[in-house]
Amino acid sequence: MRRWTQGAALVRSRCSPTCRHYSVQPQKQATSPSHASPTPPTPRPPPTQAFPTRRDPSALVSHELDALRQSLLGLLGTAHPGLDEIAKYYFLHPSKQMRPLLVLLFARATNGLGSGWRERRWAAECDGAGGRAEELDRPLTRSDVLNDCNPSMPDTTASFSSVFSLIPPAPLPPRPSLPAAFLPLSSAGPELAPGGPGSLLPTQRRLAQIVEMIHVASLLHDDVIDASALRRGVPSAPAAFGNKLAVLGGDFLLGRASAALSRLGDMEVVELIASVIANLVEGEILQMKDVHRAEVPKTGGDAWNIYLKKTYLKTASLMAKGCRASVILGGCAQGEVWKELAYAFGRNFGLAFQLVDDVLDYDAGEATLGKPGGADLKLGLATGPALFAWEEHPEMGPLIVRKFEQEGDVELARDLVRRSSGVERTRDLARAHADKARELLQGLPESEARASLELLTDRVVTRTW
Ligand code: FPP
Ligand code: MG
């Protein structure tokens, strides 16, 4: 039996009317025969009534997203003009900014709920507590050590011949102590500190930038691996700058993202986001066809397992852990359900997002994707539509196992998919995950941010971009 749905049902516990405690109960797993694919979607919850007006899920935070992109360029500055250009290249073209959008909306939908919210809010306003926007930009290390060349020395090789002068570090000012009014909320649940739901903390804005930097770093590497000529209709970074610079540009972004991550001052978030970088690499390796000891599917069940694992690692992990980290930065403590909810939402949303991407690779062409359609088969990848088609056309099996390597395999596979319900069934599977994500949101209080997230779960399935 394959465990493909790992949703969780939120059940309000009966502690008190004001106590916001939930338990997460694993849902009954869908059973499926060894080769078979996922079950049909569950019925959709009715649309939210309280905030029905917005038609664009990003409208609520669109000014934030614009500001975020602008200030992000400042984080990427380097004295080397070539590196500077490549590091900023993908940020200068319009993008979906899906990952920052999720981080910001989840922050707005959950701020004020966690027991540590008041302290986080205080740290965002109190000088020296580490959470103010200016403090996130301030290096922890003296800049002449942190920077790659010493600004106090003339820029000549000779300057490095002298020993580095020893400057005793100045003692750090003591961290201000938390006033009693900002202590964690009691279980009686008094009113929120000023700026509860709907507000954002500087750390959450920075997290939104960090997840985008990691995503763009992965695209720079991905375009080298996939030998993509185009991204979003413009020459890809490897096409414009060459493979070597594209890889190094991605590494540079990861370096800057790591430094920014450390300044958020939250070890749990550092661990979580660092693990995403490893996940991305694992996901990419899983789908590469020439890797030593690559997992070769022998049955349809094997192939589905590898595909869904890869889909989580490559796409859903950054969304799920980004949402979770956002809620942690909002003061969600150990044992509180909000971060579990955020993770489960992002995981289901991310799976739906990638499944739709895989449909679009069959459905759409250059006009909508900015890259040639059918790219996945040419890369040897069997995604949802091909795996579903295998159930209807057994001759698909050998093509998948040999990764469409023989002449005519790609065309035959496309034809088999066309003569099957693979595309519709993949979309149905995406809808099932999107519906699960939407259902999880019902565990949050109603808000404009929640309504935007709900809208996003609809759009993720119907999108054509
Ligand atoms: C796009 O996939 C690629 C990813 C979502 C992740 C790629 C990850 C790596 C290359 C591992 C290295 C990671 C880092 C952080 C350096 P796609 O090819 O399906 O989508 P596309 O059509 O947009 O190219
Ligand atoms: Mg690619």
Side-chain angles (χ1 to χ4, degrees), residues 286 294-307 380 382 387 390 397-403:
L286 208 51
E295 287 190 58
V296 180
K298 291 181 191 63
T299 64
D302 275 357
W304 269 106
N305 276 334
I306 297 171
Y307 171 58
L387 295 178
W390 186 357
L399 306 188
I400 290 178
V401 171
R402 62 173 184 254
K403 297 183 184 269

Side-chain angles (χ1 to χ4, degrees), residues 219 222-223 225-228 231 284 287 314 371 376 379:
L219 294 183
D222 179 71
D223 282 344
I225 294 168
D226 290 353
S228 312
R231 176 158 295 280
E284 191 67 21
Q287 77 166 30
K314 219 187 82 169
K371 60 170 191 174
D376 289 340
L379 290 168

Side-chain angles (χ1 to χ4, degrees), residues 257-302:
S258 306
L261 187 57
S262 72
R263 296 201 198 131
L264 296 179
D266 189 306
M267 292 303 205
E268 190 180 347
V269 168
V270 172
E271 179 185 67
L272 203 51
I273 299 299
S275 78
V276 174
I277 300 177
N279 288 163
L280 286 165
V281 175
E282 287 162 342
E284 191 67 21
I285 297 265
L286 208 51
Q287 77 166 30
M288 281 170 73
K289 60 175 168 182
D290 308 321
V291 175
H292 180 55
R293 289 178 208 248
E295 287 190 58
V296 180
K298 291 181 191 63
T299 64
D302 275 357

Side-chain angles (χ1 to χ4, degrees), residues 108-388:
R108 289 190 61 149
T110 56
N111 277 352
L113 300 177
S115 58
W117 163 250
R118 289 170 158 241
E119 182 173 354
R120 300 286 180 150
R121 179 83 203 156
W122 164 79
E125 283 165 10
C126 175
D127 203 11
R132 295 176 58 231
E134 299 79 358
E135 288 172 328
L136 300 182
D137 285 335
R138 207 177 292 152
L140 305 173
T141 306
R142 318 189 332 231
S143 69
D144 59 339
V145 172
L146 194 63
N147 294 334
D148 43 351
C149 56
N150 189 334
S152 65
M153 289 182 177
D155 191 14
T156 61
T157 316
S159 70
F160 285 94
S161 61
S162 65
V163 289
F164 185 74
S165 51
L166 187 65
I167 307 171
L172 285 175
R175 190 177 193 260
S177 51
L178 180 69
F182 291 95
L183 287 172
L185 296 175
S186 75
S187 59
E191 76 293 350
L192 301 168
S199 65
L200 287 169
L201 300 176
T203 48
Q204 292 169 321
R205 290 195 180 92
R206 181 50 51 86
L207 173 69
Q209 294 177 316
I210 291 169
V211 296
E212 188 68 352
M213 281 194 262
I214 294 174
H215 172 59
V216 170
S218 80
L219 294 183
L220 286 165
H221 286 200
D222 179 71
D223 282 344
V224 172
I225 294 168
D226 290 353
S228 312
L230 291 172
R231 176 158 295 280
R232 293 185 224 118
V234 298
S236 70
F241 302 92
N243 283 349
K244 291 179 186 174
L245 267 182
V247 170
L248 293 171
D251 294 344
F252 179 76
L253 288 184
L254 288 182
R256 285 287 157 92
S258 306
L261 187 57
S262 72
R263 296 201 198 131
L264 296 179
D266 189 306
M267 292 303 205
E268 190 180 347
V269 168
V270 172
E271 179 185 67
L272 203 51
I273 299 299
S275 78
V276 174
I277 300 177
N279 288 163
L280 286 165
V281 175
E282 287 162 342
E284 191 67 21
I285 297 265
L286 208 51
Q287 77 166 30
M288 281 170 73
K289 60 175 168 182
D290 308 321
V291 175
H292 180 55
R293 289 178 208 248
E295 287 190 58
V296 180
K298 291 181 191 63
T299 64
D302 275 357
W304 269 106
N305 276 334
I306 297 171
Y307 171 58
L308 291 176
K309 186 169 155 191
K310 179 218 77 177
T311 303
Y312 168 74
L313 291 168
K314 219 187 82 169
T315 307
S317 159
L318 183 53
M319 295 181 176
K321 291 177 178 172
C323 288
R324 187 178 176 101
S326 181
V327 174
I328 293 169
L329 291 173
C332 177
Q334 289 300 349
E336 291 179 326
V337 77
W338 313 112
K339 57 185 173 182
E340 306 307 328
L341 192 153
Y343 177 77
F345 170 87
R347 192 178 193 280
N348 280 289
F349 183 91
L351 292 175
F353 183 89
Q354 185 59 46
L355 286 162
V356 171
D357 238 40
D358 296 342
V359 162
L360 291 175
D361 192 62
Y362 282 87
D363 264 3
E366 218 155 310
T368 45
L369 293 182
K371 60 170 191 174
D376 289 340
L377 285 174
K378 287 181 204 140
L379 290 168
L381 302 179
T383 59
L387 295 178
F388 277 121

Side-chain angles (χ1 to χ4, degrees), residues 92-112:
L92 297 174
H93 299 290
S95 82
K96 303 190 266 281
Q97 289 192 285
M98 184 58 77
R99 291 143 190 90
L101 177 61
L102 289 173
V103 165
L104 296 180
L105 286 179
F106 237 95
R108 289 190 61 149
T110 56
N111 277 352

